[in-house]
Amino acid sequence: MISFSSKTAKVLYSIVACVLLMVVYDEAWRVTALLGLHSASLLKFIIGYSIMFLGVMILTVIVVKPKELFSFLGLNGNIAKGLGIAFLCVLPLFIVFPIIGSFNTDTTFSFILRKSILPGFMEEFMFRAFMFGLLFRYAKTGLIWAVILPALLFGSLHIYQGHDVISSLAAFGVTFLGAVYFSWMYVEWNFNLWVPVGLHILMNGAWVIFTMEGTEVAAGGLISNIVRVISILLAITITVWYKKRSDTKIFNYPVWQF
């Protein structure tokens, strides 16, 4: 373990580590391509995500004590509570989508694993637990500063979903805002990673299990985005209510300070 004494060194390591993880991300898929695995193969995703998981653990343990690793990455949070909160927040999608849209007949357990569960967990593990965690929890930057880099990187991964400049920017914008939302929920629920993981998996799930206008891309359509906004407002309401009930404040931490 390396112990950096200055905040500047901690911030620099956090940034370098984020960039290195994106290199690991690219190389992980390059490895699966070299193995000749089909693009829709479940094994491809398992191998690729396993490489990324290992990358996160190695880059984290460089600056965090091994015994504190799971706590730092939010993996020791109450799973049932985290997933339960996420389910309540995402419930509007699972009420409206079946009514307005239709069931995707291509849905299988393998399909849900590839399109919802695995990416939902790994993206939160990489971008929230690791990248955001290093900047916010380790380097002690304000929330906004800690959100920006992971959100930019997270959003950039979804640009490919657009078929032109406008739709690419829309996909980037929606996923960027999603990263901000997930980061805020992660902090407010005491770094229980299972809250944003549950939100991400269930939102992905609604997008792939049901077929309606906009669900073929991250940007979504008019109705799907209205329901998504309702879901986010519900999540904010539940969070604020919980904080008041437990006599704690929201934004009870540095927000703009660098």
Side-chain angles (χ1 to χ4, degrees):
M1 174 185 167
I2 299 174
S3 180
F4 293 110
S5 57
S6 72
K7 182 171 183 175
T8 300
K10 291 180 178 179
V11 170
L12 287 175
Y13 176 78
S14 300
I15 294 172
V16 169
C18 290
V19 173
L20 285 175
L21 186 61
M22 294 308 294
V23 173
V24 172
Y25 176 91
D26 289 334
E27 292 304 316
W29 298 125
R30 200 181 303 275
V31 168
T32 59
L34 289 173
L35 292 174
L37 298 173
H38 189 273
S39 60
S41 165
L42 180 58
L43 182 59
K44 169 196 170 184
F45 285 87
I46 291 174
I47 292 174
Y49 286 138
S50 295
I51 294 171
M52 296 173 214
F53 186 91
L54 184 61
V56 167
M57 300 300 275
I58 292 172
L59 290 168
T60 305
V61 83
I62 289 174
V63 292
V64 174
K65 295 178 181 178
K67 65 179 182 180
E68 298 174 356
L69 195 58
F70 273 59
S71 174
F72 179 81
L73 293 171
L75 294 172
N76 66 336
N78 187 313
I79 298 178
K81 180 179 180 179
L83 297 182
I85 292 164
F87 176 75
L88 287 176
C89 297
V90 181
L91 198 55
L93 277 70
F94 287 89
I95 293 174
V96 176
F97 280 21
I99 297 173
I100 304 297
S102 60
F103 182 76
N104 184 354
T105 55
D106 292 331
T107 300
T108 62
F109 181 65
S110 174
F111 181 75
I112 294 173
L113 270 176
R114 290 185 287 107
K115 296 292 186 178
S116 174
I117 297 175
L118 289 176
F121 171 77
M122 277 308 303
E123 287 178 4
E124 291 309 303
F125 184 64
M126 290 168 56
F127 294 96
R128 226 66 56 214
F130 176 70
M131 294 186 183
F132 174 80
L134 278 181
L135 289 161
F136 188 76
R137 306 187 71 185
Y138 173 68
K140 307 295 184 184
T141 65
L143 179 75
I144 299 300
W145 297 104
V147 162
I148 289 175
L149 179 58
L152 285 172
L153 293 173
F154 179 69
S156 68
L157 294 183
H158 297 80
I159 290 177
Y160 75 93
Q161 294 185 2
H163 55 272
D164 54 31
V165 175
I166 299 300
S167 58
S168 294
L169 288 175
F172 174 84
V174 167
T175 49
F176 180 92
L177 292 174
V180 175
Y181 165 54
F182 292 143
S183 298
W184 182 75
M185 289 292 286
Y186 180 44
V187 176
E188 295 294 354
W189 288 96
N190 300 317
F191 303 103
N192 182 344
L193 186 64
W194 302 108
V195 173
V197 164
L199 290 170
H200 202 144
I201 288 175
L202 291 171
M203 281 187 170
N204 280 4
W207 242 246
V208 300
I209 293 173
F210 303 104
T211 301
M212 58 185 293
E213 182 186 358
T215 55
E216 68 278 1
V217 293
L222 177 61
I223 295 177
S224 56
N225 276 322
I226 289 174
V227 181
R228 180 155 51 183
V229 169
I230 292 172
S231 173
I232 293 172
L233 291 175
L234 177 60
I236 293 171
T237 301
I238 291 173
T239 302
V240 171
W241 171 82
Y242 176 79
K243 287 291 186 175
K244 286 185 176 179
R245 186 170 176 269
S246 58
D247 199 28
T248 54
K249 297 179 180 179
I250 60 171
F251 294 112
N252 191 27
Y253 41 79
V255 176
W256 291 100
Q257 298 92 321
F258 187 78

